[in-house]
Amino acid sequence: MTRSLLRYIPTAVLRAGAALAFAAAILVCLPGSAQAGPCDIYAAGGTPCVAAHSTTRALFDAYNGPLYQVRRASNNATTNIGLLSAGGFANAAAQDAFCANTTCVITIIFDQTTRHNDLPVEPAGTAGPANSGVPAEALPVTAGGHAVYGASFSGRMGYRHTAASGVAVNGQAEGMYMVTSGTHFNSACCFDYGNVEVSIADTGNGHMDAIYFGTLCWFAPCNGAGPWIMGDLENGLFQSNSGGSLSTANTGNRSPFVTAMLKNNGQNFFALKDGNARSGGLAVRYSGALPTSLAGYSPMHQEGSIVLGTGGDNSNGSIGSFFEGVMTAGLPSDATENAVQANIVAVNYGGPSPVAAGTLTPGSTISLRATTACCTTRYIRHQNNAAVTTVISSASAQLDKDDGSWIVRRGLANNACISFESRDFPGDFLRHQNFQLFRQPNDGSALFLADATFCPQAGMTGTGTSFASFNFPTRFIRHFNNTVFIASNGGTNTFDATASFADDVTWAVSAPWTP
Ligand code: AHR
């Protein structure tokens, strides 16, 4: 059509035509009509992905490369985990085979765009020491009916690509989302995915533009209990231009799978949305001006690097879950973002098949009851970070029940054994230190992983279960004077006493006080 003909078509008709063309492009890309990925949808909307990371699936219809690299503990060998088919889901069976009888960490999450904005493990920054990769088997879920793994972050875990290619800098527009979880979060700084500094340091207001998800309320008010999506724009987690939330309806999102979205035109506008990644649409939590009462955010000063799991300066105390995320060039339209949410919902993220409570199957929640005659109403719980036994009953306070409940995980140091994650402090595990048991955050170190791994065997009294320490296999979880140790029968410590040893190391694996 020539320019002269175009002149005679009313603007409204042209706009409707453009909208129809966009809708058609999106339709072609919707799952079901073709196996489109979110990045095909962003491209159809004119805001192409410049980074695309996932441990669960391809984010482009045509992608058929590696999703992530794992390294196994037994011999430090690495392998790349790819897809079952082009545009499809992760080949988790390849990981299971490679990591059998040892453990693996994720060492790189690959960028699926042609820009190679891969995410290796983040080194030390000004606010935190060097990070570990996440344990590769800690978050088994399903996507599209396939068993896959998400990335489960404890403190001191993070990934970073410095000086990424094509990511917004100095006030350029961008969009991004991540699929995370509303059941695994904390209030430490900062579970982020997005645009950060080139140096691993805080270089000033507006030098970051990242999605934050958690319960760190930087600016009041934060409504309800969270966790909330916020924009980490550096030196502040923003829910609006004034910092705090403007929406009393936004009490947080506790869905097991959460879509968290941020867009920022780099000059004077940003928006935050979230939704249940398993159903429905997106809630707009904020859409409006960038902060102006504090200098540096309007316009922005992004530096174009990418972080996952920590703050811009490597503040790395946070925990969280990550399944997929992308960053775009340009400001995505609402229609594009809605289509991306529909695409995510179509993935049908889910938990592993339900695991019965009160068993030692990974994923099960349990309480551990002592069996010694003195103490059959006492359970292992944490109190002031130490593991002790206290009497817990249905009449107990909720706090006592929470502290006395544990989620069984595959052994952090050996997946033939198990680890016990705190029910009310996600990311914290039972570990021994100087032979005493404590609740502590997983710092990813080899020592922690080993100290937090226990191998179940038939109970020494002939009933129940005893738990051998993975790295001190002659020592078993024992209560002694109501404190919990790893003890060896007849050893040199008072808690190694032979009297009632078998009873004290025999536990009844019970239904959890807090499911
Ligand atoms: O903006 C919040 C945090 O502040 C950033 O992530 C970090 O770089 C700084 O400590």
Side-chain angles (χ1 to χ4, degrees):
M1 188 180 297
T2 62
R3 275 173 176 276
S4 52
L5 270 178
L6 266 174
R7 236 188 359 222
Y8 295 105
I9 301 178
T11 315
V13 174
L14 278 177
R15 282 210 189 108
L20 271 175
F22 177 73
I26 293 296
L27 261 182
V28 172
C29 291
L30 275 178
S33 56
Q35 289 193 331
C39 287
D40 302 306
I41 296 170
Y42 279 115
T47 49
C49 291
V50 291
H53 303 106
S54 176
T55 58
T56 66
R57 65 163 178 151
L59 300 171
F60 288 89
D61 183 18
Y63 189 70
N64 199 16
L67 294 183
Y68 57 101
Q69 181 192 72
V70 294
R71 187 184 63 223
R72 66 183 171 206
S74 53
N75 63 357
N76 281 333
T78 58
T79 195
N80 291 345
I81 305 302
L83 294 157
L84 294 170
S85 60
F89 295 92
N91 183 0
Q95 176 183 318
D96 293 340
F98 184 76
C99 303
N101 303 317
T102 179
T103 53
C104 285
V105 293
I106 296 179
T107 36
I108 304 173
I109 303 176
F110 292 107
D111 177 21
Q112 299 178 28
T113 77
T114 52
R115 297 178 175 274
H116 301 294
N117 288 324
D118 303 332
L119 292 174
V121 174
E122 184 177 21
T126 53
N131 293 281
S132 311
V134 301
E137 298 145 352
L139 192 49
V141 296
T142 58
H146 301 275
V148 296
Y149 292 101
S152 178
F153 290 74
S154 298
R156 286 205 196 175
M157 294 179 188
Y159 297 85
R160 191 159 182 134
H161 185 108
T162 49
S165 153
V167 176
V169 293
N170 290 324
Q172 291 176 328
E174 63 185 337
M176 63 194 78
Y177 81 83
M178 71 167 157
V179 177
T180 180
S181 175
T183 63
H184 182 220
F185 55 83
N186 68 4
S187 59
C189 183
C190 286
F191 189 67
D192 286 349
Y193 174 68
N195 194 331
V196 282
E197 292 92 342
V198 172
S199 56
I200 307 181
D202 174 350
T203 55
N205 295 357
H207 286 246
M208 288 181 66
D209 182 30
I211 299 164
Y212 166 82
F213 193 73
T215 49
L216 176 51
C217 184
W218 198 289
F219 300 104
C222 298
N223 297 311
W228 307 277
I229 181 174
M230 304 183 201
D232 188 343
L233 308 182
E234 190 52 281
N235 296 314
L237 306 176
F238 291 84
Q239 294 193 67
S240 69
N241 58 337
S242 56
S245 176
L246 304 182
S247 161
T248 50
N250 181 13
T251 55
N253 190 332
R254 294 215 165 196
S255 306
F257 297 92
V258 172
T259 308
M261 244 177 219
L262 162 66
K263 62 181 163 186
N264 188 332
N265 77 357
Q267 297 298 311
N268 52 19
F269 167 86
F270 79 116
L272 298 164
K273 303 177 182 180
D274 66 54
N276 181 345
R278 285 171 50 78
S279 66
L282 297 164
V284 180
R285 303 306 196 176
Y286 176 75
S287 179
L290 279 163
T292 50
S293 54
L294 295 164
Y297 299 109
S298 182
M300 297 283 294
H301 305 280
Q302 312 102 303
E303 297 188 25
S305 296
I306 305 173
V307 80
L308 171 59
T310 76
D313 55 5
N314 191 32
S315 296
N316 57 3
S318 57
I319 68 172
S321 300
F322 178 85
F323 302 96
E324 59 178 78
V326 314
M327 300 174 69
T328 71
L331 194 75
S333 68
D334 290 339
T336 298
E337 292 179 329
N338 292 341
V340 167
Q341 164 68 358
N343 179 279
I344 294 166
V345 168
V347 169
N348 193 23
Y349 275 109
S353 15
V355 176
T359 72
L360 291 179
T361 309
S364 177
T365 307
I366 61 169
S367 289
L368 286 170
R369 185 173 62 77
T371 62
T372 315
C374 60
C375 304
T376 54
T377 55
R378 302 183 82 92
Y379 292 80
I380 297 183
R381 57 90 57 88
H382 60 86
Q383 202 165 46
N384 301 324
N385 303 331
V388 297
T389 64
T390 62
V391 174
I392 304 180
S393 71
S394 53
S396 296
Q398 189 59 48
L399 177 75
D400 299 333
K401 294 177 178 175
D402 294 348
D403 290 354
S405 299
W406 305 91
I407 303 168
V408 178
R409 299 293 184 202
R410 291 192 200 182
L412 293 175
N414 183 310
N415 58 23
C417 300
I418 58 172
S419 295
F420 301 100
E421 185 175 6
S422 164
R423 175 69 178 73
D424 50 352
F425 285 77
D428 283 17
F429 288 79
L430 268 184
R431 66 88 56 98
H432 63 83
Q433 202 165 43
N434 296 326
F435 304 138
Q436 188 181 338
L437 260 65
F438 298 91
R439 170 185 63 78
Q440 287 182 4
N442 177 6
D443 64 12
S445 66
L447 181 65
F448 185 97
L449 303 183
D451 288 352
T453 299
F454 303 92
C455 304
Q457 62 180 54
M460 290 218 182
T461 57
T463 60
T465 309
S466 293
F467 300 95
S469 158
F470 171 71
N471 49 357
F472 290 87
T474 60
R475 293 185 169 274
F476 292 82
I477 296 181
R478 175 189 196 169
H479 64 99
F480 190 84
N481 290 339
N482 305 329
T483 301
V484 186
F485 300 91
I486 51 166
S488 71
N489 196 357
T492 54
N493 306 289
T494 49
F495 54 80
D496 294 326
T498 49
S500 70
F501 184 87
D503 291 328
D504 290 353
V505 299
T506 299
W507 300 91
V509 176
S510 311
W513 284 112
T514 301

